[in-house]
């Protein structure tokens, strides 16, 4: 209902109430007028009628009679007078009653209307309460969103004063609300010193534009949290001020992951150095700018021994400390971890003197004593050096040349450095070709074993075989000695040895397990230094169910030199498993009797170089005789290698040699032929 209409009705009710209050007062005063007239007339009649009657009548009886008439007259007159007065009063009463009745009818109608208005007002009030309740609930809902959201909500004025923040902001920063509200925006938000607040707000005023920016906030502990902000200007419905509402998402974790991904892509996780990806990018840039360069390709000598003997944790610790030390020692920071224990330095000069100074310093820093827990480690490095533009004009060529120079340095021995020379190309290319061929052959399983019989020289019967590696088919003319030499340099020999041992054990189980024959298997120096050799042969014993006493592992003097104590440990463990051990190529290279006294050999193989001259009386025959006698006194069997003539076999038999092998007796042959020979 219209508000003005309600006000008019209220005024009408007040006016009627005022009228009703006045009219009853007029009715209450009217009877007094009638009584007063009656009293005045009565007193006047009593006072004056008797006196007037005394004047007119002297007779007493007549007086009495007139007195009676006078009384009747008084009664009739006063009755008439009262009647007139009452009639007059009744007219007022009737008029007022009629007026009251009319007013009452109006009031009844008005009352009904007021009841309807009241009901309407009640309905409106109920509707208003429902609306207010909905508004309150909506407001609570908005407040819940504001305070329970996992998004920062920040309200601030255009002069940078924070007006309100939500609970998530407080939880994230550990501030209390009173510590933030009323403070300047820049006290909390970490922004660049060149940030222009006015320009920022002006950009927000552009219609339909939201601003997305990354600003960090400071926590109470002054720790930064990276926030992605979305801001917009909104009008405050109460004050009418244009305030800025900023919504923020904490992307600190995402930024940390992004940094980790970047670090993984562009830096080495272990050492923190730049990785090979950055190396290639920076090299390409320097080459495009014609910057003279010297590249040092560094590889540690026998670093895997540290990992295998003492564990990878010590190896990793050394590499980290080495990288840190190198960065501190050199002014140029172009240091990269290539892979494993390989590093690359780049010096922005091609002067040979500067390169030699760097090499000398690298060698000096590296060969010092490094203490790793309780371990003292004395490392050495090999370095391959190539230069731009002298040795190549692109990244790939320079890298290839550095690898070739490093290979030549390692080939020369420990702690060597070689500058790239063009003559390396064909030599290393051949090595790479052989290495690739070996890999393909291993994958295709194109190796096979040939078996050369070993004879008792007195009885001339077969007492065993030596397993010798051959290729099933090779399109390249590569001797067995050449690819074995390459395999030893590249480390592929360990995989080859494993294949040979597995195949030899299988042959023994299938064809020799019921015969009293010995199968000799050559063991390379790298396999002898491997910590995994023992576990591997134990696995093969279990798989093939062989008798280890039928296997004789042949080791060379050369394989014992680098780490004699560890080699002795491996040989003793092989002996404990039941294997026999033979010293191969005795009499060449070092020929230390120390090996014979400390290592529990079962047999000794005399090198072919002595057998070739055994028929000539002289020093060579005397040496062979002394070797045979020494071995006999030590309880060792002797085996002569490379017998090519009958006279050699007869001489060796006369000198007391136990066994022999060579082309004169039998050439190495495939398994099928060896079995037929038996």
């Amino acid at each position: 209902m219209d508000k003005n209409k309600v006000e008019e009705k209220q005024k009408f009710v007040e006016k009627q109430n005022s009228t009703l209050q006045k009219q009853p007062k007029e009715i209450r005063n009217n009877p007094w007028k009638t009584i007063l007239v009656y009293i005045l007339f009565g007193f006047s009649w009593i006072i004056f009628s008797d006196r007037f009657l005394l004047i007119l009548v002297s007779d007493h009886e007549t007086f009495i009679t007139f007195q009676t008439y006078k009384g009747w007259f008084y009664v009739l007159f006063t009755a008439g007078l009262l009647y007139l007065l009452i009639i007059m009063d009744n007219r007022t009463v009737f008029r007022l009653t009629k007026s009251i009745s009319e007013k009452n009818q109006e009031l009844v109608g008005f009352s009904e209307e007021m009841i309807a208005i009241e009901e309407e007002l009640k309905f409106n009030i109920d509707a208003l309460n429902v609306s207010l309740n909905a508004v309150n609930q909506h407001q609570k809902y908005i407040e819940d969103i504001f305070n329970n959201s996992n998004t920062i909500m920040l309200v601030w004025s255009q002069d940078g004063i924070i007006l309100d923040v939500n609970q998530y902001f407080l939880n994230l920063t550990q501030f209390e609300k009173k510590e933030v509200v009323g403070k300047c925006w820049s006290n909390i938000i970490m922004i660049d010193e060149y940030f222009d607040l006015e320009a920022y707000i002006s950009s927000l005023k552009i219609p339909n534009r939201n601003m997305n920016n990354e600003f960090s906030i400071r926590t109470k502990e002054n720790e930064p949290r990276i926030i992605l902000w979305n801001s917009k200007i909104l009008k405050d419905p109460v004050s009418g001020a244009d305030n800025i509402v900023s919504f923020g998402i904490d992307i600190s974790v995402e930024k940390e992951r992004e940094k980790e991904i970047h670090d993984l892509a562009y830096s080495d996780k272990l050492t923190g150095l730049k990785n090979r990806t950055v190396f290639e990018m920076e090299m390409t840039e320097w080459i495009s700018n014609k910057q003279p360069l010297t590249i040092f390709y560094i590889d540690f000598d026998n670093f895997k021994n540290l990992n295998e003997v003492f564990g990878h944790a010590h190896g990793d610790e050394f590499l980290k400390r080495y990288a840190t030390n190198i960065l501190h020692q050199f002014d140029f920071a172009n240091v990269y971890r290539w892979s494993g224990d390989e590093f690359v330095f780049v010096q922005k000069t091609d002067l040979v003197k500067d390169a030699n100074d760097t090499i000398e310093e690298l060698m000096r820093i590296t060969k010092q004593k490094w203490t790793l827990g309780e371990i003292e480690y004395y490392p050495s490095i090999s370095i391959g050096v190539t230069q731009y533009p002298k040795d190549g004009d692109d990244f790939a060529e320079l890298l290839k040349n550095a690898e070739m120079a490093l290979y030549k340095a390692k080939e020369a021995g420990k702690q060597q450095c070689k500058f790239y020379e063009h003559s390396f190309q064909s030599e290393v290319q051949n090595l790479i070709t052989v290495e690739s061929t070996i890999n393909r052959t291993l994958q295709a399983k194109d190796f096979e074993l040939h078996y050369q019989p070993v004879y008792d020289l007195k009885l001339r019967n077969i007492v065993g075989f030596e397993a010798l590696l051959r290729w099933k088919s090779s399109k390249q003319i590569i001797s067995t000695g050449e690819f074995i030499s390459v395999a030893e340099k590249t480390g592929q020999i360990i995989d080859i040895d494993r294949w040979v041992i597995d195949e030899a054990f299988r042959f023994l189980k299938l064809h020799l397990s019921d015969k009293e024959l010995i199968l000799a298997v050559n063991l390379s120096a790298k396999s002898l230094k491997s910590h995994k050799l023992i576990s591997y042969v134990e696995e093969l014993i279990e798989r093939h169910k062989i008798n280890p006493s039928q296997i004789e592992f042949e080791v060379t003097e050369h394989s014992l030199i680098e780490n004699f104590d560890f080699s002795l440990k491996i040989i003793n463990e092989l002996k404990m498993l039941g294997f026999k051990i033979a010293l191969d190529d005795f009499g060449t290279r070092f020929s230390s009797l120390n090996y014979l006294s400390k290592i529990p050999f079962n047999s000794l193989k005399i090198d072919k170089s002595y057998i070739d001259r055994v028929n000539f009386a002289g020093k060579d025959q005397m040496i062979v005789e002394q070797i045979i006698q020494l071995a006999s006194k030590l309880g060792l069997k002797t085996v002569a290698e490379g017998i090519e003539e009958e006279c050699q076999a007869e001489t060796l038999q006369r000198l007391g040699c136990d066994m022999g092998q060579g082309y004169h007796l039998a050439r190495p042959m495939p398994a099928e032929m060896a079995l037929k020979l038996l």
Side-chain angles (χ1 to χ4, degrees):
M1 183 174 287
D2 189 82
K3 183 179 178 181
N4 294 331
K5 187 174 181 181
V6 174
E7 291 178 353
E8 290 177 2
K9 293 294 184 180
Q10 288 177 340
K11 291 180 180 179
F12 175 78
V13 171
E14 291 174 358
K15 181 178 179 181
Q16 295 302 321
N17 288 338
S18 175
T19 303
L20 291 174
Q21 289 174 358
K22 292 179 181 179
Q23 287 178 345
K25 185 175 179 182
E26 184 178 345
I27 294 170
R28 284 196 301 270
N29 291 335
N30 285 340
W32 289 106
K33 295 178 181 179
T34 304
I35 294 170
L36 183 59
V37 171
Y38 181 78
I39 291 173
L40 290 175
F41 179 76
F43 278 118
S44 300
W45 180 265
I46 293 171
I47 295 172
F48 295 106
S49 63
D50 285 342
R51 290 183 180 180
F52 183 72
L53 188 56
L54 287 174
I55 296 174
L56 293 177
V57 179
S58 58
D59 183 42
H60 181 68
E61 289 181 4
T62 304
F63 182 79
I64 292 300
T65 301
F66 274 99
Q67 276 283 76
T68 300
Y69 293 151
K70 183 182 69 166
W72 289 347
F73 176 78
Y74 177 76
V75 171
L76 293 173
F77 183 78
T78 55
L81 182 59
L82 286 174
Y83 173 78
L84 292 174
L85 291 174
I86 289 171
I87 286 298
M88 292 176 63
D89 287 337
N90 282 344
R91 286 178 180 172
T92 303
V93 171
F94 291 154
R95 178 174 54 80
L96 291 175
T97 299
K98 183 178 179 181
S99 176
I100 289 172
S101 178
E102 293 174 352
K103 299 301 182 184
N104 187 50
Q105 291 295 327
E106 292 183 12
L107 286 174
V108 169
F110 181 71
S111 176
E112 292 174 352
E113 190 174 349
M114 289 299 292
I115 291 172
I117 292 173
E118 184 179 0
E119 291 177 353
E120 186 177 355
L121 286 173
K122 183 179 179 182
F123 175 79
N124 291 339
I125 290 170
D126 291 341
L128 181 61
N129 289 334
V130 171
S131 299
L132 287 174
N133 186 49
V135 169
N136 291 334
Q137 289 181 352
H138 188 66
Q139 183 177 359
K140 185 177 182 301
Y141 174 70
I142 293 174
E143 290 176 353
D144 287 342
I145 293 175
F146 186 74
N147 288 315
N148 297 321
S149 173
N150 288 333
T151 301
I152 294 174
M153 295 185 188
L154 184 70
V155 183
W156 48 289
S157 64
Q158 294 191 29
D159 55 1
I161 301 302
I162 297 175
L163 304 175
D164 199 4
V165 294
N166 68 341
Q167 189 61 42
Y168 182 76
F169 175 90
L170 301 176
N171 294 340
L172 185 65
T173 62
Q174 299 300 309
F175 280 112
E176 294 184 13
K177 197 166 187 176
K178 62 183 179 181
E179 296 176 311
V180 177
V181 174
K183 299 296 190 300
C184 185
W185 184 63
S186 59
N187 291 340
I188 304 297
I189 308 298
M190 299 169 64
I191 53 177
D192 188 273
E193 60 179 323
Y194 302 107
F195 178 77
D196 189 339
L197 179 61
E198 292 184 2
Y200 180 73
I201 294 175
S202 297
S203 63
L204 288 176
K205 292 180 179 179
I206 299 175
N208 301 320
R209 182 174 185 181
N210 292 352
M211 292 291 291
N212 292 319
N213 302 92
E214 284 185 20
F215 296 129
S216 295
I217 60 174
R218 297 184 181 93
T219 66
K220 194 169 185 177
E221 300 298 327
N222 208 33
E223 296 178 358
R225 304 288 295 183
I226 304 173
I227 308 298
L228 176 63
W229 295 98
N230 180 284
S231 299
K232 188 172 182 62
I233 295 179
L234 296 175
K235 185 178 289 294
D236 188 326
V238 177
S239 66
D242 288 333
N243 294 326
I244 301 167
V245 179
S246 297
F247 300 90
I249 300 174
D250 184 4
I251 57 173
S252 302
V253 174
E254 287 76 8
K255 282 293 181 180
E256 185 64 28
R257 288 176 182 168
E258 185 179 315
K259 181 179 180 299
E260 289 177 0
I261 293 172
H262 181 275
D263 291 343
L264 287 173
Y266 297 104
S267 66
D268 175 61
K269 187 176 182 180
L270 177 65
T271 63
L273 297 176
K274 292 180 282 190
N275 64 10
R276 58 198 305 167
T277 302
V278 182
F279 172 57
E280 182 175 355
M281 292 168 56
E282 294 185 346
M283 280 287 295
T284 302
E285 181 182 355
W286 292 328
I287 291 172
S288 66
N289 293 331
K290 307 298 182 183
Q291 169 68 55
L293 301 169
T294 300
I295 298 97
F296 305 85
Y297 192 178
I298 302 168
D299 184 28
F300 284 88
D301 300 320
N302 301 320
F303 182 76
K304 67 176 182 178
N305 291 342
L306 175 64
N307 284 330
E308 292 179 354
V309 176
F310 299 106
H312 288 275
H314 287 89
D316 290 347
E317 177 62 24
F318 168 73
L319 292 176
K320 286 191 289 186
R321 287 173 54 187
Y322 185 79
T324 302
N325 200 2
I326 292 298
L327 287 175
H328 287 166
Q329 292 293 331
F330 289 90
D331 293 335
F332 59 92
N334 303 314
V335 187
Y336 313 84
R337 187 184 183 198
W338 185 249
S339 65
D341 59 333
E342 297 177 345
F343 295 83
V344 179
F345 272 40
V346 178
Q347 196 171 10
K348 293 184 178 180
T349 176
D350 59 354
L351 297 178
V352 175
K353 180 183 180 303
D354 292 340
N356 286 329
D357 290 342
T358 299
I359 292 166
E360 183 179 349
E361 183 67 10
L362 279 171
M363 294 291 189
R364 184 192 67 78
I365 292 171
T366 304
K367 69 181 181 181
Q368 64 181 325
K369 180 178 75 175
W370 296 76
T371 303
L372 307 171
E374 298 178 355
I375 301 170
E376 292 183 355
Y377 180 49
Y378 294 88
S380 65
I381 54 175
S382 298
I383 306 175
V385 183
T386 188
Q387 294 181 311
Y388 171 80
K390 179 173 71 72
D391 298 331
D393 56 7
D394 62 35
F395 171 77
E397 185 177 8
L398 289 168
L399 180 61
K400 181 183 67 175
N401 294 343
E403 289 175 340
M404 286 191 284
L406 177 62
Y407 169 75
K408 294 299 292 183
K410 295 185 79 67
E411 189 180 45
K414 290 184 178 180
Q415 202 162 333
Q416 298 294 317
C417 176
K418 291 289 183 181
F419 282 77
Y420 171 76
E421 298 176 12
H422 291 288
S423 60
F424 294 168
Q425 186 73 35
S426 58
E427 183 179 345
V428 176
Q429 185 62 46
N430 180 62
L431 173 68
I432 294 171
T433 301
V434 175
E435 181 181 359
S436 300
T437 303
I438 292 172
N439 280 332
R440 289 195 301 270
T441 305
L442 280 170
Q443 292 173 3
K445 297 182 179 179
D446 278 344
F447 286 124
E448 65 177 344
L449 292 183
H450 283 196
Y451 298 90
Q452 185 175 33
V454 178
Y455 286 84
D456 183 307
L457 290 179
K458 181 184 290 187
L459 302 176
R460 295 297 177 100
N461 63 320
I462 297 175
V463 294
F465 291 92
E466 180 180 2
L468 299 170
L469 186 65
R470 297 290 186 269
W471 283 357
K472 290 180 182 178
S473 61
S474 176
K475 297 178 181 179
Q476 294 172 282
I477 303 175
I478 303 173
S479 68
T480 301
E482 183 180 359
F483 82 73
I484 290 294
S485 175
V486 171
E488 287 179 340
K489 292 174 182 178
T490 61
Q492 294 169 305
I493 192 65
I494 293 179
D495 291 329
I496 293 175
D497 278 356
R498 287 192 168 204
W499 184 89
V500 169
I501 295 170
D502 186 21
E503 189 65 23
F505 281 19
R506 182 180 292 107
F507 177 79
L508 174 66
K509 176 63 179 176
L510 292 175
H511 306 293
L512 305 180
S513 59
D514 59 342
K515 300 176 177 62
E516 293 183 0
L517 297 175
I518 300 298
L519 182 60
V521 178
N522 289 283
L523 201 60
S524 70
K526 288 187 180 294
S527 290
L528 190 61
K529 291 184 291 184
S530 171
H531 290 266
K532 298 179 181 180
L533 175 64
I534 299 302
S535 61
Y536 181 67
V537 296
E538 286 177 333
E539 178 188 335
L540 291 183
I541 291 172
E542 181 65 26
R543 183 191 304 169
H544 297 293
K545 307 297 182 184
I546 65 161
N547 179 5
S549 65
Q550 287 186 272
I551 294 291
E552 184 173 64
F553 284 113
E554 297 184 3
V555 298
T556 63
E557 295 173 278
H558 169 67
S559 65
L560 303 172
I561 291 174
E562 289 188 359
N563 194 335
F564 178 79
D565 292 336
F566 186 73
S567 298
L568 177 60
K569 174 178 177 293
I570 294 297
I571 289 174
N572 283 328
E573 290 181 1
L574 289 172
K575 292 282 289 185
M576 290 178 65
L577 290 173
F579 295 104
K580 292 180 171 60
I581 306 295
L583 179 59
D584 195 13
D585 299 335
F586 185 78
T588 61
R589 295 198 179 187
F590 310 100
S591 301
S592 173
L593 297 179
N594 183 50
Y595 303 137
L596 298 180
S597 64
K598 290 186 177 181
I599 298 178
F601 293 113
N602 295 94
S603 60
L604 187 152
K605 302 189 76 169
I606 305 171
D607 188 69
K608 183 180 182 299
S609 61
Y610 290 101
I611 305 304
D612 288 342
R613 298 186 298 273
V614 74
N615 285 331
F616 300 98
K619 293 181 180 179
D620 290 325
Q621 189 180 100
M622 188 179 300
I623 290 173
V624 172
E625 184 178 9
Q626 292 300 316
I627 290 173
I628 294 170
Q629 291 178 4
L630 176 63
S632 178
K633 291 179 180 179
L634 292 174
L636 306 179
K637 296 289 185 179
T638 50
V639 182
E641 295 182 298
I643 299 175
E644 296 184 351
E645 299 175 0
E646 176 60 26
C647 59
Q648 293 174 339
E650 292 175 353
T651 301
L652 289 166
Q653 179 186 348
R654 180 175 56 80
L655 294 175
C657 184
D658 299 304
M659 293 167 284
Q661 65 186 94
Y663 282 4
H664 171 67
L665 299 173
R667 288 174 175 269
M669 60 190 71
E672 296 81 2
M673 292 182 62
L675 293 174
K676 287 180 181 179
L677 187 62
L678 282 176

